[in-house]
Amino acid sequence: MRPWRNKLYVIIFEHETWGGRAFDVALLWCIVGSVMAVMLESVTSIRNAHGPLLRSVEWAFTLLFTVEYVLRLVSIGRPLRYVFSLFGLVDVLSVIPTYASLLLPGAQSLLVLRALRLLRVFRILKLGEYVGEAHVLAQALRASRQKITVFVSAVLTIVLIVGAMMYLIEGEEHGFTSIPVSVYWAVVTMTTVGYGDIAPQTVAGQVLASALMIIGYGVIAVPTGIVSVELAQAVHGGVGAQTCPACACQDHDGDANYCKRCGQDLRGGDLSENKSAAAFQPGIAGTPPP
């Protein structure tokens, strides 16, 4: 990697140097300012009084974030990997609404998605342990996805059957005008929300509604138990906060020396150049690529 790209990478992606930390703190303030501008523009009285100024501020922040995104692509070794990473997608979504507003007025309201970029505060403020805990939680959720999929499928089946039964029992005269409307009532009832806009009037309907409410209280604990088990298993393995300089992958083990996605040496070298010394030299966290 060329020296200027190396220096740019350290400033943009690393947070241990003074320049990198200053860049990230300034970026966070810009994100907060841009989100505040979008929120203020949604207030009618403020929009009528300062609409042009707020739109100019939005465009200024959008151009600034666009330049920052381009610099991220230039500084990293494998830009496509970053483009399709979580933070890469969030960075793109943070600038698209402003450009989309040229064709779809009002799309700039989606600029509040920039608030997702504040997730970087955990790395910038040296809260690496929180990042590790977040990775553990994500690992537990990934391990639970099949069980949760089965659980959600079972819940959808229940609300579909109960909704159809309630449609037959109550009928249109009691507000259950169709099966989709009855399924909506079943979802609201099973989740214990209970808007009250539709309610059964017959004895049979009330009995069925009571049974569904009891089932709803029971199923609330199921996903909690599933995730808790996987979380208990996930906490046995540590997850580090090191970012790969080539593909921006961040889900590495705490003692990893190489990126598990692309094989880049996380200690600062290339896999092919440092393969022979990998078993003898200890890893150095946060070292920028050469």
Side-chain angles (χ1 to χ4, degrees):
M1 183 177 290
R2 298 178 181 177
W4 65 270
R5 289 181 61 190
N6 180 31
K7 184 178 297 185
L8 188 62
Y9 171 84
V10 171
I11 294 176
I12 295 179
F13 284 96
E14 297 294 341
H15 318 295
E16 299 299 327
T17 64
W18 182 89
R21 192 175 179 82
F23 173 85
D24 290 326
V25 171
L27 178 62
L28 289 181
W29 280 111
C30 289
I31 295 171
V32 172
S34 65
V35 172
M36 290 298 299
V38 174
M39 295 176 63
L40 291 175
E41 190 184 10
S42 66
V43 181
T44 303
S45 58
I46 297 178
R47 181 173 62 250
N48 294 336
H50 307 286
L53 174 62
L54 291 175
R55 283 189 288 273
S56 299
V57 171
E58 290 176 11
W59 273 104
F61 279 124
T62 298
L63 294 176
L64 179 64
F65 292 142
T66 302
V67 172
E68 179 236 345
Y69 179 73
V70 173
L71 291 178
R72 288 181 181 274
L73 296 181
V74 171
S75 63
I76 202 165
R78 300 183 182 180
L80 287 180
R81 292 292 181 90
Y82 178 76
V83 169
F84 295 104
S85 65
L86 174 61
F87 282 121
L89 294 175
V90 170
D91 291 344
V92 171
L93 291 176
S94 68
V95 298
I96 287 180
T98 302
Y99 297 113
S101 65
L102 297 175
L103 300 176
L104 300 173
Q108 67 272 16
S109 299
L110 296 177
L111 287 175
V112 293
L113 291 172
R114 288 175 180 170
L116 293 174
R117 304 192 71 193
L118 294 175
L119 293 174
R120 287 192 170 96
V121 72
F122 291 106
R123 291 179 176 275
I124 295 168
L125 299 182
K126 296 184 178 180
L127 301 179
E129 62 274 16
Y130 291 93
V131 178
E133 296 299 330
H135 282 298
V136 170
L137 180 58
Q139 181 181 349
L141 292 175
R142 285 195 299 267
S144 306
R145 63 182 182 274
Q146 294 180 344
K147 300 182 184 68
I148 293 178
T149 299
V150 173
F151 167 75
V152 173
S153 300
V155 170
L156 292 177
T157 301
I158 292 174
V159 298
L160 179 61
I161 294 175
V162 173
M165 292 175 61
M166 190 61 71
Y167 172 71
L168 294 176
I169 294 173
E170 295 292 331
E172 297 183 5
E173 62 272 16
H174 294 151
F176 295 83
T177 56
S178 64
I179 291 181
V181 172
S182 301
V183 170
Y184 156 77
W185 168 85
V187 172
V188 171
T189 303
M190 192 174 191
T191 55
T192 70
V193 176
Y195 290 130
D197 50 347
I198 306 174
Q201 305 298 322
T202 64
V203 175
Q206 292 172 351
V207 171
L208 182 60
S210 300
L212 186 61
M213 293 175 194
I214 295 174
I215 294 174
Y217 278 111
V219 300
I220 288 175
V222 175
T224 304
I226 293 174
V227 176
S228 297
V229 172
E230 298 295 342
L231 187 59
Q233 296 178 359
V235 294
H236 294 293
V239 180
Q242 175 71 10
T243 301
C244 175
C247 66
C249 179
Q250 300 170 347
D251 191 12
H252 299 104
D253 293 336
D255 58 350
N257 289 328
Y258 298 96
C259 176
K260 67 178 184 179
R261 178 187 292 173
C262 67
Q264 172 71 27
D265 190 344
L266 299 178
R267 302 167 303 171
D270 184 74
L271 178 60
S272 59
E273 298 175 355
N274 297 277
K275 186 174 181 180
S276 60
F280 303 98
Q281 298 180 2
I284 302 176
T287 304

